[in-house]
Amino acid sequence: MLIKKVICEVDAANAVAFAKAQSQWGALSHISGFIKQAGGWRKTIDEPLTAEIISVWENREAYDHFMENEHDSIYEENDQKAVILSIEVTVYEEDKPFVHDLLHNPDIRYEPDWTVLKA
């Protein structure tokens, strides 16, 4: 399985706009090779706020196809870029037990609207 971990810093003033944009990633559910995406805010009072999003893909080929063909149109359409102060993306491969732990991190306050499941 391929894991994509995205960490974004967002000003508190833009938290609602970021969350709304993040909830618009539902198109992922119809992408071949996509498995699941979940995310939320790190449990901290520090500024700026930190969002963490994990997406799970069947393999590198499916993920690469998505990045080359669909990612940019979704990202540009929801205007999320406008409210992100910084973004860090890590892509790596892991096994199922690790993925389960990653998607249930006690340090993250998961946002139900940010969860996307395969259709």
Side-chain angles (χ1 to χ4, degrees):
M1 298 183 135
L2 184 111
I3 310 301
K4 178 179 185 178
K5 182 177 183 179
V6 180
I7 298 174
C8 299
E9 289 189 334
V10 180
D11 281 332
N14 289 318
V16 171
F18 179 89
K20 181 179 177 186
Q22 188 59 43
S23 70
Q24 295 174 10
W25 282 87
L28 285 172
S29 67
H30 301 288
I31 305 288
S32 179
F34 171 77
I35 297 173
K36 181 177 183 175
Q37 178 167 289
W41 299 105
R42 285 197 181 155
K43 294 178 180 175
T44 179
I45 59 171
D46 296 339
E47 286 277 341
L49 300 175
T50 302
E52 185 171 314
I53 300 102
I54 305 294
S55 61
V56 183
W57 295 83
E58 290 176 4
N59 55 47
R60 170 64 88 170
E61 293 77 23
Y63 171 75
D64 287 346
H65 184 270
F66 162 71
M67 290 302 293
E68 292 170 14
N69 297 287
E70 290 100 6
H71 176 274
D72 291 353
S73 64
I74 298 170
Y75 186 61
E76 290 167 9
E77 192 172 302
N78 70 25
D79 205 27
Q80 195 167 28
K81 182 178 184 177
V83 297
I84 296 173
L85 295 174
S86 69
I87 186 168
E88 178 184 327
V89 178
T90 309
V91 178
Y92 51 95
E93 296 198 31
E94 286 294 345
D95 57 14
K96 281 187 178 185
F98 181 83
V99 171
H100 179 271
D101 292 345
L102 192 61
L103 290 170
H104 297 89
N105 183 338
D107 294 332
I108 304 295
R109 187 183 70 240
Y110 288 92
E111 299 290 336
D113 291 345
W114 296 12
T115 298
V116 181
L117 301 173
K118 185 170 184 65

